[in-house]
Amino acid sequence: PMDESVSESAEKDDTAWSTLTDMAKKGFLMFDNAQDIRNFLGRDPLLSKMHVIAKIFHDWVNKRIILDMKKSGVSGASCKTERVFLPRVLGVVWDTMDLLSLRDNPDDGVEFVVIDFADAFWHIPLLPEERIFFVAKLRGKFFLFLRAAQGSRGAPLLWGRTAALISRLAQSTCDPSEARLSTYVDDPLM
């Protein structure tokens, strides 16, 4: 079982700092002083706060960094006209039953493979004109997000469309009587 998510200040969290510096090394964001960020953007950025969301599973803690774009007003100024519909568990059950019914030997089973897209949201680049809205300050440094950040209103839809395309292309390489693919956020199940 999972305990409730807890929001804590990113300023005090060493995991947030190391995650952000690692993302900067990967080229997903950059950090520097205020003047260098202004020069790069060509104008003043709109700062957002960062939060760390911790999910606790027994003796394991998973932390995510969220760019809080509500308080800066960015979320309120943007609109979301579509939603991503996630597959249902029952869809996987029906696909499994269908695959089993197509087997010549009733003793043949079905194997499942689950993979994970690492840093899923971080693979979607921002347009240069959007970057002024994706800046946060932590420990005296300014972080400019070059990729879609968790916490932005459009990031789930951007990733959902990308993952749907990847999943459809992957499924098209397989005979549907041999393999079926369902993707839940960033975890494809084949």
Side-chain angles (χ1 to χ4, degrees):
M2 181 180 67
D3 290 346
E4 292 252 340
S5 295
V6 179
S7 179
E8 50 188 73
S9 171
E11 188 71 31
K12 299 173 188 172
D13 192 283
D14 290 334
T15 303
W17 179 258
S18 64
T19 300
L20 288 171
T21 54
D22 287 346
M23 292 298 172
K25 288 176 191 170
K26 291 179 181 180
F28 295 158
L29 55 88
M30 57 187 286
F31 67 99
D32 219 329
N33 61 47
Q35 190 56 49
D36 288 343
I37 294 291
R38 277 189 207 99
N39 292 341
F40 180 81
L41 293 171
R43 62 186 284 192
D44 286 336
L46 182 62
L47 288 178
S48 293
K49 292 186 183 254
M50 283 190 278
H51 295 286
V52 175
I53 306 293
K55 291 190 178 180
I56 303 161
F57 302 85
H58 298 293
D59 58 349
W60 177 69
V61 178
N62 180 30
K63 292 184 177 183
R64 287 185 303 151
I65 298 169
I66 304 295
L67 192 61
D68 183 358
M69 301 182 85
K70 287 182 182 177
K71 291 192 181 193
S72 64
V74 174
S75 290
S78 61
C79 64
K80 187 166 79 171
T81 59
E82 300 175 37
R83 288 183 43 173
V84 175
F85 288 99
L86 300 173
R88 306 268 183 220
V89 173
L90 204 52
V92 174
V93 171
W94 288 120
D95 280 347
T96 303
M97 299 294 283
D98 193 34
L99 289 172
L100 286 170
S101 73
L102 297 172
R103 300 285 182 256
D104 292 331
N105 182 351
D107 292 332
D108 286 347
V110 174
E111 294 181 18
F112 294 90
V113 176
V114 178
I115 62 172
D116 178 52
F117 288 106
D119 306 322
F121 282 46
W122 294 97
H123 292 289
I124 311 297
L126 293 173
L127 293 172
E129 57 269 19
E130 294 175 313
R131 293 177 184 161
I132 62 164
F133 304 111
F134 289 82
V135 180
K137 185 178 177 185
L138 185 69
R139 297 185 182 179
K141 295 284 187 185
F142 287 82
F143 288 84
L144 169 64
F145 290 72
L146 303 172
R147 307 294 178 102
Q150 288 188 349
S152 65
R153 184 166 279 188
L157 182 59
L158 289 170
W159 172 250
R161 284 183 170 191
T162 303
L165 175 62
I166 293 167
S167 298
R168 287 183 181 110
L169 290 172
Q171 179 67 60
S172 73
T173 65
C174 303
D175 182 340
S177 67
E178 294 292 322
R180 307 282 171 88
L181 181 65
S182 293
T183 301
Y184 185 82
V185 185
D186 62 348
D187 298 311
L189 168 72
M190 181 170 269

